[in-house]
Amino acid sequence: MEAEKLQSLRDAAKKVRIGVIEGTHAAKSGHPGGSLSIADILTYLYFEEMNVDPADPRMADRDRFVLSKGHCAPALYAVLAARGFFPAEELTTLRRYPSRLQGHPDMNSTPGVDMSTGSLGLGVSAAAGMALAAKIDGKPYRVYTAVGDGESEEGQVWEACMFAAHYKLDNLTVIIDWNGLQIDGPVAEVMNPTPHDEKLKAFGFHVVSIDGHDFNQMEAAFREARQTKGRPTAIIAKTVKGKGVSFMENQVKWHGSAPNDEQYAQAIAELKGGN
Amino acid sequence: MADKIATREAYGDALVALADKYDFVVLDADLAEATKTVKFKKAHPERFFDCGIAEGNMMSVAAGIATTGKTVFASSFAMFAAGRAFEQVRNSIGYPHLNVKIGATHAGITVGEDGATHQCNEDIALMRTIPGMTIVNPADAVEARAAVEAALSANGPFYLRFGRFAVPVLNDAATYRFELGKGVLLADGTDVTIVATGLMVSVALEARAALAAEGISARVINIHTIKPLDGEILAKAAKETGAIVTAEEHNIIGGLGSAVAESVSQSCPVPVVRVGVKDVYGHSGTVPALLEAYGLTAANLVAAAKAAVAKKSPAKA
């Protein structure tokens, strides 16, 4: 990837992370940890990979994204705002009545949200449905969905994977945000869903493993997904929960708690100082 | 009139008959032979998708398809469509108000020999609690076909409830008009009103004849659309007859009986006696044996009507 493009993606990701911190700080609740782990991937999707138009959020043949790990809505809202779907000032209305930025994504209130999600395990199925619809109509659009590693403990994730492979949905890309932590502790200790790569291969997926904070690896992985025919692709993205904020990184307590004023100031300073 | 057809058969026929007029796809969860979506599968294989035995996934897949502008029928037995997949129906379909029409067959105890695990007497109660969900429980094959077209013509999620067991055809296919959300006054009466839904509608008409022989004039109303409920026809019946009996092949908790009681308690409070499955599980058996055992008979409706009349306040008695 050219240096200029790389820098612009990093700048956008920085905006997204700042948006996550601003939103959850203002809301005094929310899920910053997983929002920060998926922030780079969402940035790549919305700024590089997906065919979307902020001026026409419901454009007929747009690419679609389903945030199956819906609690990471702060990151989705931040990337949509950064991409111009709505004003970034709105991010601080997160989770407050009657803001259109609800705790979990609502497709009918937020421009750019393609599916309402939040209850874990349901989003992959919805994404598979969208991908099937594209096949039925012979449309060129692609569908992306992000699933939490803890979320993959939900049986429906695997029902959806079976379905996607059965119907050869090569226009579907499932991203596993493998940050290693869930509410009750390390994923491996709570209910180990690994190995994802072998399981997904056995379910009929083409599987690519990447560093979920490396834009060069994302570029290659998404290209590989587009070039893979006859089967869906899973991208297993190794990430760091809380990525970019030193005191949040790899700390399970930041799964679902918001920064106070002091923590907010430190987080923003770190993010603005970083590259 | 002598014809008996299961409403699930009519469902399968309607999907085929309406395939050219409307743009929709059909999903099933390995029960196409039983839900009768197999008829559509044979006629339009390119628009039929089996989801295997994974009803939760099917409902969320249906929602995903619907976001792209297509209408989707998703079929399974009532137990698995409304029961197993309740949360997917609520969160993936109901909350975003998507155009998914749930075709739920094998509702109630008339599933018969398969017994309690497959006899869903709770589906109406579950679906009623989902905001924006329209619920239609047709009384016969003519109404079932009309309900499918009504679902296709309307926006938003529908729960269409069909039965396994063949039931009498009450309506004349040539003249019948289906009005979503409107109760149907089938027979007038002045002493009591039997409000029935599904296969209990024909049983209610039988009961009316028996009551007439005993000098009791019973009105019969068919409520095919349980949500939104026709409060107007119920209030009028309460006011004019002073007592109501509800009749449904469903738990008396949460179904038609509850819906009617909730409605008339606000519009015109009168005694309401609920006939249905009395908060118990089903059982294996032949359909006639089960209808008898669970009190879904004309004789029981007659007794309920008398009880309701006896409870009227003196002014209305």
Side-chain angles (χ1 to χ4, degrees):
Chain A
M1 190 181 290
E2 314 93 75
E4 201 179 326
K5 194 206 266 184
L6 187 60
Q7 192 53 50
S8 95
L9 283 168
R10 282 181 178 152
D11 292 345
K14 186 193 285 189
K15 268 195 213 169
V16 171
R17 287 198 161 85
I18 289 170
V20 167
I21 297 301
E22 285 181 338
T24 53
H25 169 254
K28 296 188 171 64
S29 70
H31 299 82
S35 295
L36 294 172
S37 70
I38 197 71
D40 292 317
I41 289 162
L42 289 183
T43 301
Y44 188 84
L45 282 171
Y46 278 89
F47 280 84
E48 197 58 39
E49 175 70 13
M50 288 168 53
N51 171 32
V52 291
D53 180 3
D56 185 9
R58 300 240 165 147
M59 181 172 69
D61 290 346
R62 71 189 185 280
D63 290 334
R64 276 129 169 114
F65 175 72
V66 178
L67 184 65
S68 197
K69 46 176 277 176
H71 55 284
C72 298
L76 179 59
Y77 298 152
V79 79
L80 289 171
R83 189 71 171 76
F85 281 85
F86 54 84
E89 293 72 48
E90 238 178 285
L91 293 175
T92 51
T93 68
L94 178 70
R95 288 176 161 248
R96 284 215 311 268
Y97 190 83
S99 168
R100 55 183 177 173
L101 306 183
Q102 298 206 51
H104 295 84
D106 172 5
M107 64 181 283
N108 290 323
S109 60
T110 312
V113 171
D114 292 318
M115 182 66 200
S116 302
T117 52
S119 173
L120 295 179
L122 278 52
V124 195
S125 305
M130 294 173 185
L132 179 66
K135 292 281 184 191
I136 294 168
D137 290 340
K139 301 278 185 144
Y141 65 82
R142 298 185 61 77
V143 183
Y144 302 84
T145 182
V147 187
D149 50 358
E151 182 184 6
S152 73
E153 291 158 7
E154 287 279 7
Q156 189 174 336
V157 170
W158 301 96
E159 293 181 4
C161 287
M162 206 185 321
F163 180 93
H166 183 84
Y167 284 108
K168 301 183 169 56
L169 303 179
D170 52 19
N171 52 351
L172 175 70
T173 303
V174 176
I175 301 143
I176 309 274
D177 181 12
W178 186 16
N179 62 35
L181 296 172
Q182 61 188 113
I183 298 177
D184 279 354
V187 172
E189 288 175 22
V190 175
M191 180 49 65
N192 189 359
T194 61
H196 280 110
D197 51 354
E198 289 172 41
K199 283 183 177 134
L200 286 161
K201 277 177 197 161
F203 271 73
F205 273 63
H206 175 64
V207 181
V208 190
S209 293
I210 63 166
D211 174 343
H213 303 300
D214 183 325
F215 290 117
N216 282 303
Q217 290 188 33
M218 284 179 220
E219 183 178 52
F222 284 112
R223 187 192 308 123
E224 199 172 314
R226 280 196 306 277
Q227 289 167 349
T228 300
K229 299 299 170 198
R231 62 176 63 189
T233 293
I235 297 176
I236 301 172
K238 183 79 191 74
T239 60
V240 173
K241 198 151 186 164
K243 174 76 174 176
V245 177
S246 62
F247 58 91
M248 289 185 177
E249 288 193 358
N250 290 314
Q251 298 299 311
V252 74
K253 72 169 257 199
W254 290 103
H255 171 89
S257 52
N260 62 26
D261 292 350
E262 194 185 329
Q263 290 158 336
Y264 165 78
Q266 187 187 336
I268 295 292
E270 283 185 20
L271 289 170
K272 286 191 170 161
N275 64 359
Chain B
M1 280 294 190
D3 283 3
K4 284 192 172 186
I5 307 173
T7 50
R8 63 173 165 148
E9 293 284 356
Y11 170 52
D13 292 338
L15 292 176
V16 175
L18 297 166
D20 294 333
K21 192 170 168 190
Y22 298 91
D23 178 24
F24 63 90
V25 297
V26 177
L27 309 181
D28 207 304
D30 193 43
L31 288 169
E33 293 282 346
T35 64
K36 300 303 171 191
T37 61
V38 68
K39 298 180 187 200
F40 184 86
K41 176 186 178 180
K42 282 178 183 156
H44 300 280
E46 74 292 349
R47 287 162 66 183
F48 177 88
F49 302 91
D50 208 315
C51 296
I53 310 168
E55 297 81 7
N57 179 60
M58 175 175 71
M59 292 303 176
S60 300
V61 164
I65 296 171
T67 65
T68 69
K70 247 178 226 315
T71 297
V72 187
F73 280 84
S75 276
S76 182
F77 290 177
M79 189 69 250
F80 315 124
R84 169 76 65 98
F86 173 79
E87 203 252 1
Q88 287 84 355
V89 172
R90 192 260 190 200
N91 276 324
S92 294
I93 296 169
Y95 176 47
H97 201 68
L98 292 167
N99 261 330
V100 177
K101 319 298 179 183
I102 299 163
T105 68
H106 294 63
I109 60 165
T110 54
V111 165
E113 290 79 356
D114 277 354
T117 55
H118 286 55
Q119 289 162 326
C120 190
N121 298 312
E122 305 85 6
D123 54 332
I124 296 172
L126 288 165
M127 292 297 110
R128 279 183 68 219
T129 61
I130 296 177
M133 179 66 73
T134 298
I135 304 170
V136 184
N137 184 34
D140 72 355
V142 172
E143 199 161 271
R145 282 195 290 272
V148 173
E149 181 149 24
L152 276 166
S153 309
N155 189 42
F158 270 63
Y159 183 80
L160 303 169
R161 188 184 206 239
F162 303 113
R164 168 177 183 264
F165 186 63
V167 294
V169 176
L170 304 166
N171 296 295
D172 181 343
T175 57
Y176 180 75
R177 271 189 69 243
F178 180 88
E179 270 191 274
L180 192 66
K182 292 285 179 201
V184 184
L185 177 66
L186 287 179
D188 212 348
T190 52
D191 298 327
V192 62
T193 301
I194 305 176
V195 179
T197 189
L199 63 71
M200 291 305 287
V201 173
S202 63
V203 181
L205 291 169
E206 276 178 58
R208 180 178 183 272
L211 285 163
E214 297 189 48
I216 299 171
S217 165
R219 182 177 297 191
V220 175
I221 292 171
N222 168 20
I223 293 289
H224 49 63
T225 308
I226 294 175
K227 188 180 178 184
L229 188 68
D230 185 352
E232 213 169 296
I233 200 170
L234 297 173
K236 189 166 185 285
K239 196 175 166 197
E240 292 174 1
T241 69
I244 288 177
V245 171
T246 60
E248 63 192 311
E249 187 200 6
H250 183 275
N251 196 334
I252 54 168
I253 295 175
L256 176 73
S258 292
V260 169
E262 288 160 15
S263 179
V264 299
S265 70
Q266 293 192 54
S267 62
C268 179
V270 295
V272 176
V273 176
R274 295 167 299 155
V275 172
V277 176
K278 292 177 183 155
D279 198 24
V280 291
Y281 292 98
H283 197 284
S284 289
T286 63
V287 171
L290 292 171
L291 291 173
E292 186 68 36
Y294 287 85
L296 303 181
T297 59
N300 198 35
L301 284 183
V302 167
K306 288 177 183 170
V309 170
K311 283 181 183 155
K312 283 193 204 184
S313 59
K316 282 176 180 165

mmCIF file of all heavy atoms in Angstrom, chain B residues 12-13 29 42 62 88 97 100 138 156 165 172 184 192 201-202 207 209 219 223 251 256 262 269 305 312 314:
data_model
loop_
_atom_site.group_PDB
_atom_site.id
_atom_site.type_symbol
_atom_site.label_atom_id
_atom_site.label_comp_id
_atom_site.label_asym_id
_atom_site.label_seq_id
_atom_site.Cartn_x
_atom_site.Cartn_y
_atom_site.Cartn_z
ATOM 1 N N GLY B 12 -49.831 -23.554 0.830
ATOM 2 C CA GLY B 12 -48.956 -23.990 -0.268
ATOM 3 C C GLY B 12 -49.534 -23.615 -1.632
ATOM 4 O O GLY B 12 -48.813 -23.134 -2.512
ATOM 5 N N ASP B 13 -50.835 -23.805 -1.788
ATOM 6 C CA ASP B 13 -51.495 -23.465 -3.055
ATOM 7 C C ASP B 13 -51.410 -21.964 -3.332
ATOM 8 O O ASP B 13 -51.183 -21.538 -4.464
ATOM 9 C CB ASP B 13 -52.977 -23.881 -3.023
ATOM 10 C CG ASP B 13 -53.150 -25.397 -2.994
ATOM 11 O OD1 ASP B 13 -52.199 -26.106 -3.414
ATOM 12 O OD2 ASP B 13 -54.211 -25.872 -2.540
ATOM 13 N N ALA B 29 -37.496 -24.927 6.752
ATOM 14 C CA ALA B 29 -36.478 -25.533 7.607
ATOM 15 C C ALA B 29 -36.697 -27.051 7.654
ATOM 16 O O ALA B 29 -37.054 -27.612 8.678
ATOM 17 C CB ALA B 29 -36.508 -24.917 8.999
ATOM 18 N N LYS B 42 -41.547 -26.961 -5.934
ATOM 19 C CA LYS B 42 -41.636 -27.673 -7.216
ATOM 20 C C LYS B 42 -41.908 -26.710 -8.366
ATOM 21 O O LYS B 42 -41.357 -26.851 -9.454
ATOM 22 C CB LYS B 42 -42.735 -28.742 -7.152
ATOM 23 C CG LYS B 42 -42.264 -29.986 -6.410
ATOM 24 C CD LYS B 42 -43.365 -31.034 -6.289
ATOM 25 C CE LYS B 42 -42.869 -32.230 -5.461
ATOM 26 N NZ LYS B 42 -43.978 -32.966 -4.852
ATOM 27 N N ALA B 62 -34.005 -14.669 6.660
ATOM 28 C CA ALA B 62 -35.182 -14.044 6.039
ATOM 29 C C ALA B 62 -35.129 -12.531 6.219
ATOM 30 O O ALA B 62 -35.402 -11.762 5.286
ATOM 31 C CB ALA B 62 -36.458 -14.610 6.660
ATOM 32 N N GLN B 88 -35.247 -14.469 17.436
ATOM 33 C CA GLN B 88 -34.861 -14.028 16.089
ATOM 34 C C GLN B 88 -36.022 -13.294 15.418
ATOM 35 O O GLN B 88 -35.814 -12.308 14.712
ATOM 36 C CB GLN B 88 -34.441 -15.235 15.241
ATOM 37 C CG GLN B 88 -33.082 -15.817 15.615
ATOM 38 C CD GLN B 88 -33.150 -16.789 16.775
ATOM 39 O OE1 GLN B 88 -34.185 -16.994 17.399
ATOM 40 N NE2 GLN B 88 -32.018 -17.412 17.078
ATOM 41 N N HIS B 97 -38.933 -4.141 11.595
ATOM 42 C CA HIS B 97 -40.205 -4.121 10.869
ATOM 43 C C HIS B 97 -40.009 -4.525 9.410
ATOM 44 O O HIS B 97 -40.387 -3.799 8.477
ATOM 45 C CB HIS B 97 -40.860 -2.737 10.961
ATOM 46 C CG HIS B 97 -42.341 -2.771 10.706
ATOM 47 N ND1 HIS B 97 -43.235 -3.361 11.561
ATOM 48 C CD2 HIS B 97 -43.083 -2.317 9.671
ATOM 49 C CE1 HIS B 97 -44.455 -3.251 11.078
ATOM 50 N NE2 HIS B 97 -44.393 -2.638 9.919
ATOM 51 N N VAL B 100 -41.129 -9.841 6.350
ATOM 52 C CA VAL B 100 -41.035 -11.296 6.470
ATOM 53 C C VAL B 100 -42.400 -11.813 6.900
ATOM 54 O O VAL B 100 -42.980 -11.322 7.872
ATOM 55 C CB VAL B 100 -39.959 -11.718 7.482
ATOM 56 C CG1 VAL B 100 -39.942 -13.240 7.632
ATOM 57 C CG2 VAL B 100 -38.582 -11.209 7.041
ATOM 58 N N PRO B 138 -56.457 -18.091 9.990
ATOM 59 C CA PRO B 138 -57.628 -18.312 9.132
ATOM 60 C C PRO B 138 -58.480 -19.499 9.554
ATOM 61 O O PRO B 138 -57.988 -20.486 10.097
ATOM 62 C CB PRO B 138 -57.034 -18.534 7.742
ATOM 63 C CG PRO B 138 -55.602 -18.855 7.953
ATOM 64 C CD PRO B 138 -55.194 -18.309 9.279
ATOM 65 N N GLY B 156 -44.559 -5.005 6.325
ATOM 66 C CA GLY B 156 -44.202 -5.400 7.678
ATOM 67 C C GLY B 156 -44.383 -6.876 7.960
ATOM 68 O O GLY B 156 -44.869 -7.640 7.128
ATOM 69 N N PHE B 165 -54.679 -30.253 10.269
ATOM 70 C CA PHE B 165 -55.891 -31.048 10.165
ATOM 71 C C PHE B 165 -56.874 -30.423 9.155
ATOM 72 O O PHE B 165 -57.050 -29.215 9.111
ATOM 73 C CB PHE B 165 -56.528 -31.085 11.560
ATOM 74 C CG PHE B 165 -57.711 -31.973 11.706
ATOM 75 C CD1 PHE B 165 -57.597 -33.348 11.531
ATOM 76 C CD2 PHE B 165 -58.959 -31.442 12.047
ATOM 77 C CE1 PHE B 165 -58.707 -34.176 11.695
ATOM 78 C CE2 PHE B 165 -60.060 -32.263 12.212
ATOM 79 C CZ PHE B 165 -59.935 -33.631 12.032
ATOM 80 N N ASP B 172 -67.411 -19.089 0.749
ATOM 81 C CA ASP B 172 -67.600 -19.337 -0.672
ATOM 82 C C ASP B 172 -66.477 -18.620 -1.429
ATOM 83 O O ASP B 172 -66.393 -17.389 -1.411
ATOM 84 C CB ASP B 172 -68.977 -18.790 -1.086
ATOM 85 C CG ASP B 172 -69.249 -19.051 -2.562
ATOM 86 O OD1 ASP B 172 -68.293 -19.350 -3.308
ATOM 87 O OD2 ASP B 172 -70.417 -18.950 -2.955
ATOM 88 N N VAL B 184 -65.477 -10.863 11.350
ATOM 89 C CA VAL B 184 -66.562 -11.188 10.420
ATOM 90 C C VAL B 184 -67.778 -11.652 11.224
ATOM 91 O O VAL B 184 -67.703 -12.624 11.986
ATOM 92 C CB VAL B 184 -66.138 -12.324 9.460
ATOM 93 C CG1 VAL B 184 -67.237 -12.577 8.429
ATOM 94 C CG2 VAL B 184 -64.816 -11.997 8.772
ATOM 95 N N VAL B 192 -75.870 -13.850 23.521
ATOM 96 C CA VAL B 192 -74.452 -14.092 23.802
ATOM 97 C C VAL B 192 -73.711 -14.071 22.465
ATOM 98 O O VAL B 192 -74.319 -14.325 21.411
ATOM 99 C CB VAL B 192 -74.282 -15.459 24.523
ATOM 100 C CG1 VAL B 192 -74.757 -16.629 23.653
ATOM 101 C CG2 VAL B 192 -72.830 -15.707 24.960
ATOM 102 N N VAL B 201 -64.061 -21.784 14.477
ATOM 103 C CA VAL B 201 -65.151 -21.016 13.884
ATOM 104 C C VAL B 201 -66.284 -21.947 13.457
ATOM 105 O O VAL B 201 -67.456 -21.691 13.750
ATOM 106 C CB VAL B 201 -64.643 -20.166 12.695
ATOM 107 C CG1 VAL B 201 -65.826 -19.499 11.981
ATOM 108 C CG2 VAL B 201 -63.658 -19.108 13.180
ATOM 109 N N SER B 202 -65.949 -23.038 12.810
ATOM 110 C CA SER B 202 -67.022 -23.950 12.379
ATOM 111 C C SER B 202 -67.655 -24.636 13.588
ATOM 112 O O SER B 202 -68.862 -24.912 13.589
ATOM 113 C CB SER B 202 -66.489 -24.976 11.368
ATOM 114 O OG SER B 202 -65.522 -25.793 11.958
ATOM 115 N N ALA B 207 -72.304 -24.906 17.579
ATOM 116 C CA ALA B 207 -72.794 -24.583 18.927
ATOM 117 C C ALA B 207 -73.984 -23.632 18.851
ATOM 118 O O ALA B 207 -74.945 -23.754 19.616
ATOM 119 C CB ALA B 207 -71.669 -23.971 19.758
ATOM 120 N N ALA B 209 -76.237 -23.461 16.566
ATOM 121 C CA ALA B 209 -77.439 -24.216 16.214
ATOM 122 C C ALA B 209 -77.988 -24.952 17.433
ATOM 123 O O ALA B 209 -79.200 -24.959 17.685
ATOM 124 C CB ALA B 209 -77.116 -25.199 15.089
ATOM 125 N N ARG B 219 -74.725 -14.950 18.779
ATOM 126 C CA ARG B 219 -74.046 -14.309 17.647
ATOM 127 C C ARG B 219 -72.701 -15.024 17.459
ATOM 128 O O ARG B 219 -72.077 -15.441 18.435
ATOM 129 C CB ARG B 219 -73.817 -12.839 17.994
ATOM 130 C CG ARG B 219 -73.158 -12.011 16.914
ATOM 131 C CD ARG B 219 -73.032 -10.553 17.333
ATOM 132 N NE ARG B 219 -74.334 -9.924 17.545
ATOM 133 C CZ ARG B 219 -74.517 -8.602 17.713
ATOM 134 N NH1 ARG B 219 -73.483 -7.774 17.703
ATOM 135 N NH2 ARG B 219 -75.715 -8.114 17.924
ATOM 136 N N ILE B 223 -62.876 -14.073 14.198
ATOM 137 C CA ILE B 223 -61.730 -13.152 14.274
ATOM 138 C C ILE B 223 -60.544 -13.853 13.605
ATOM 139 O O ILE B 223 -59.862 -14.677 14.223
ATOM 140 C CB ILE B 223 -61.397 -12.792 15.740
ATOM 141 C CG1 ILE B 223 -62.524 -11.967 16.383
ATOM 142 C CG2 ILE B 223 -60.071 -12.019 15.819
ATOM 143 C CD1 ILE B 223 -62.665 -10.549 15.878
ATOM 144 N N ASN B 251 -53.701 -21.916 24.024
ATOM 145 C CA ASN B 251 -53.800 -21.699 25.461
ATOM 146 C C ASN B 251 -54.775 -20.542 25.724
ATOM 147 O O ASN B 251 -54.760 -19.548 25.001
ATOM 148 C CB ASN B 251 -52.410 -21.354 26.017
ATOM 149 C CG ASN B 251 -52.330 -21.487 27.529
ATOM 150 O OD1 ASN B 251 -53.335 -21.363 28.235
ATOM 151 N ND2 ASN B 251 -51.147 -21.735 28.032
ATOM 152 N N LEU B 256 -56.539 -15.513 21.752
ATOM 153 C CA LEU B 256 -57.744 -14.760 21.400
ATOM 154 C C LEU B 256 -58.532 -14.363 22.645
ATOM 155 O O LEU B 256 -58.995 -13.225 22.762
ATOM 156 C CB LEU B 256 -58.639 -15.597 20.473
ATOM 157 C CG LEU B 256 -59.978 -14.954 20.120
ATOM 158 C CD1 LEU B 256 -59.785 -13.804 19.131
ATOM 159 C CD2 LEU B 256 -60.954 -15.988 19.562
ATOM 160 N N GLU B 262 -59.131 -8.237 27.058
ATOM 161 C CA GLU B 262 -58.429 -6.948 27.189
ATOM 162 C C GLU B 262 -59.202 -5.844 26.476
ATOM 163 O O GLU B 262 -59.329 -4.727 26.974
ATOM 164 C CB GLU B 262 -57.017 -7.052 26.585
ATOM 165 C CG GLU B 262 -56.064 -7.893 27.417
ATOM 166 C CD GLU B 262 -54.864 -8.393 26.602
ATOM 167 O OE1 GLU B 262 -54.609 -7.865 25.495
ATOM 168 O OE2 GLU B 262 -54.193 -9.332 27.071
ATOM 169 N N PRO B 269 -67.271 -3.585 29.393
ATOM 170 C CA PRO B 269 -67.021 -4.787 30.210
ATOM 171 C C PRO B 269 -68.271 -5.665 30.337
ATOM 172 O O PRO B 269 -69.326 -5.191 30.743
ATOM 173 C CB PRO B 269 -66.614 -4.223 31.573
ATOM 174 C CG PRO B 269 -66.188 -2.820 31.298
ATOM 175 C CD PRO B 269 -67.021 -2.355 30.140
ATOM 176 N N ALA B 305 -71.397 -20.905 26.822
ATOM 177 C CA ALA B 305 -72.336 -19.831 26.485
ATOM 178 C C ALA B 305 -73.370 -19.672 27.592
ATOM 179 O O ALA B 305 -73.714 -18.556 27.998
ATOM 180 C CB ALA B 305 -73.012 -20.133 25.152
ATOM 181 N N LYS B 312 -74.239 -12.631 33.388
ATOM 182 C CA LYS B 312 -74.611 -11.258 33.007
ATOM 183 C C LYS B 312 -75.175 -10.502 34.199
ATOM 184 O O LYS B 312 -75.843 -11.094 35.047
ATOM 185 C CB LYS B 312 -75.713 -11.292 31.931
ATOM 186 C CG LYS B 312 -75.249 -11.630 30.554
ATOM 187 C CD LYS B 312 -76.385 -11.286 29.596
ATOM 188 C CE LYS B 312 -76.309 -12.066 28.317
ATOM 189 N NZ LYS B 312 -77.353 -11.642 27.368
ATOM 190 N N PRO B 314 -77.849 -8.199 36.092
ATOM 191 C CA PRO B 314 -79.305 -8.271 35.929
ATOM 192 C C PRO B 314 -79.838 -7.333 34.845
ATOM 193 O O PRO B 314 -80.721 -7.715 34.089
ATOM 194 C CB PRO B 314 -79.833 -7.860 37.305
ATOM 195 C CG PRO B 314 -78.722 -8.183 38.246
ATOM 196 C CD PRO B 314 -77.445 -8.005 37.492
#
